[in-house]
Amino acid sequence: MLLALGAVAADWPQYRGPNGLGASSETGWRATEPKRLWEVKPGAGFGAVTVAGERVFLVAAGARSNNAETVFCLDATTGKELWSYSYGQTLGRPRSPASCTPAVVDGLVYAYGSGAVLSCLEAATGKLVWTRDLANELNAAPTPYGYCASPLIVAGVVVVPVMLGPGRPQAAGGAYPYTGGVLIGYNAKTGKELWRMTEGCSPWSTPTAGMLDGKLTIVHLTGSAVLGIEPATGKLLWNYNHKEPVRDQRCYSIASSPLIVGDKVIAPTHISSLGTLGLRVRDGKPELLWNGPRQSWYQTPAAWHDLLLLPQGGSSLLACDLATGKQKWATGDLARSGGTTELGEIPETEGIDAVRRPLRQPRAGEASHSGPGGISGGSFIVAHGHVLLVNARGDLIIAKLTADGYEPLANLKALGPDSVHWRNQTYPVLSGGRVFCRNNGSLVCFELRPQR
């Protein structure tokens, strides 16, 4: 279901694309010999770009002030800046830079700052339409990693998670546990608050929306539950609570997002014993269909036909059957030569160059921040039977998907290695025959259109 009304097939208007699946149906582009068009350096940020027509939108933490973030609008053909809008934040900037992917719907741009500032701008001019500083209004809690979720626009409502209560300041050195999280829905045109859903939330996981059980439904992950919410009212429709006794509170943090694929909800968890959940909602009740392989806790999976592609950290992919959750095939670490990872080793990620160290398996009830291959980057989308992945080294890999694996078609240097260990975490975006690749510093555009 296309949630961003008025978007054309080539547009990529929100986080994870038109349907929140990390998938593009765009055709007519070539998978080999991409042409490098332009590169800009807008500032630090992990959020992906969005594209509407010939305009590209992104958020970055620039040097205009120490707590400011900036929304940029660029020309898709040249990378030229068309306008920018900067906003300060009461909470300041946390340990991580801007992580929001802006949404572009009905001529308006929405951005959610790492300091809990929600802004609505005119897409044509960058003029401010309305803003809500949730740190001032609601006493939003600080988090070391900031507010990483992107705004969801559905049925005229802007939905964002907000943490209330004391929170965990950066000096505390951790991001969890939290209490008092809420989802809030605002009128997309006016910014008026419409509802609050108080069952809990994650400040890092972006909600998604689609048709389930005959109803338009928002689905959100809290770290211990999967929630179904009515967009118009914020009413809780259902709650699948997977909380279980654990020794490590990190198990209840989650940064990846759910998928709605047909009548199924794909819900990643941070808990090794649960892995990824496949749910179905019938008669207002969620039921567990399967729990399959564990995935990286901060990257979101993608679906293509009967395949579910799970990010495994360290630029690795695992494909499983969408109906059963059973593994079909897996890659090694695609940031390594030959795309393989030796058993019992993962990349160390505290420096620019990966080194090897023994892999300690997590104990029972303990969180793991990655799947096989570590946490050193890599993110991807699916596009018309192909996977487009930026690995930890900043290479753009284009490969054809098959039932038994993938067939590499192109591998080129897109971005340089970043100076932080969460380098090259941002998924590429395909729109209008162009692919946009970003890391914590640069945005690069390649043309994939056929030769004329």
Side-chain angles (χ1 to χ4, degrees):
M1 187 183 87
L2 187 64
L3 300 177
L5 300 179
V8 298
D11 284 354
W12 191 276
Q14 295 197 54
Y15 175 77
R16 302 297 291 173
N19 301 294
L21 295 176
S24 170
S25 60
E26 183 167 322
T27 60
W29 51 274
R30 69 177 187 275
T32 57
E33 300 179 0
K35 176 184 178 182
R36 192 182 186 100
L37 292 181
W38 49 263
E39 178 178 359
V40 296
K41 297 183 180 298
F46 292 123
V49 305
T50 46
V51 184
E54 290 296 304
R55 295 191 170 208
V56 179
F57 303 86
L58 73 154
V59 181
R64 302 188 182 188
S65 73
N66 65 357
N67 73 334
E69 292 176 355
T70 301
V71 183
F72 289 95
C73 175
L74 309 178
D75 182 274
T77 303
T78 65
K80 177 183 177 182
E81 181 180 321
L82 301 178
W83 58 255
S84 63
Y85 172 82
S86 296
Y87 51 90
Q89 303 181 101
T90 303
L91 289 180
R93 286 204 289 109
R95 181 182 302 163
S96 298
S99 296
C100 156
T101 297
V104 187
V105 180
D106 294 337
L108 298 174
V109 181
Y110 302 87
Y112 192 35
S114 61
V117 171
L118 179 61
S119 302
C120 173
L121 312 169
E122 291 182 354
T125 65
K127 178 181 177 182
L128 180 67
V129 178
W130 56 262
T131 187
R132 306 293 299 253
D133 184 343
L134 305 185
N136 272 327
E137 294 180 25
L138 304 176
N139 192 30
T143 85
Y145 301 108
Y147 285 79
C148 301
S150 301
L152 169 70
I153 320 299
V154 53
V157 182
V158 186
V159 183
V160 293
V162 185
M163 302 305 295
L164 305 180
R168 297 270 289 184
Q170 181 171 338
Y176 17 68
Y178 286 95
T179 58
V182 300
L183 278 186
I184 301 188
Y186 295 96
N187 182 290
K189 299 294 185 183
T190 67
K192 177 183 177 181
E193 183 179 326
L194 300 175
W195 50 260
R196 296 187 192 184
M197 196 285 304
T198 60
E199 293 292 321
C201 72
S202 165
W204 311 294
S205 178
T206 299
T208 191
M211 295 299 296
L212 286 171
D213 198 27
K215 297 178 181 179
L216 182 60
T217 304
I218 297 168
V219 178
H220 185 57
L221 306 180
T222 71
S224 62
V226 187
L227 306 179
I229 302 127
E230 186 175 70
T233 65
K235 175 185 175 182
L236 182 67
L237 298 175
W238 48 265
N239 180 343
Y240 183 84
N241 193 323
H242 58 70
K243 189 172 183 179
E244 62 181 45
V246 294
R247 61 182 293 168
D248 189 342
Q249 287 294 324
R250 292 179 300 173
C251 286
Y252 297 141
S253 66
I254 190 73
S256 56
S257 296
L259 300 182
I260 298 175
V261 189
D263 63 348
K264 297 179 183 65
V265 174
I266 307 302
T269 80
H270 199 313
I271 303 173
S272 299
S273 59
L274 292 179
T276 304
L277 307 179
L279 306 175
R280 177 183 290 146
V281 182
R282 288 182 173 176
D283 300 323
K285 297 180 180 180
E287 58 178 331
L288 179 66
L289 298 177
W290 49 261
N291 62 294
R294 181 169 55 91
Q295 67 158 75
S296 171
W297 75 284
Y298 54 89
Q299 297 168 317
T300 296
W304 179 70
H305 293 308
D306 61 348
L307 279 183
L308 178 65
L309 296 177
L310 301 178
Q312 295 292 287
S315 311
S316 304
L317 293 178
L318 183 150
C320 63
D321 186 274
L322 189 59
T324 65
K326 293 183 178 180
Q327 179 176 331
K328 287 193 168 183
W329 50 263
T331 72
D333 188 339
L334 298 175
R336 293 183 182 274
S337 176
T340 61
T341 304
E342 293 181 16
L343 185 63
E345 296 180 323
I346 62 173
E348 174 61 70
T349 59
E350 295 302 322
I352 293 178
D353 296 320
V355 297
R356 295 177 183 270
R357 68 171 183 175
L359 171 62
R360 180 182 71 79
Q361 295 296 329
R363 292 170 291 181
E366 187 177 38
S368 174
H369 280 89
S370 66
I375 63 173
S376 61
S379 196
F380 69 98
I381 63 170
V382 175
H384 196 59
H386 295 75
V387 62
L388 281 67
L389 179 144
V390 175
N391 70 15
R393 299 185 185 278
D395 305 322
L396 172 63
I397 297 173
I398 303 176
K400 183 178 180 180
L401 291 172
T402 70
D404 301 319
Y406 73 105
E407 177 188 345
L409 300 175
N411 188 328
L412 68 152
K413 175 58 67 178
L415 300 159
D418 207 333
S419 60
V420 297
H421 71 281
W422 298 93
R423 62 195 180 195
N424 296 322
Q425 295 295 331
T426 306
Y427 64 81
V429 168
L430 174 67
S431 180
R434 306 181 187 96
V435 60
F436 303 89
C437 303
R438 183 190 187 182
N439 67 1
N440 189 27
S442 298
L443 172 65
V444 180
C445 175
F446 294 90
E447 185 179 53
L448 299 179
R449 288 171 176 156
Q451 296 280 359
R452 293 181 176 85

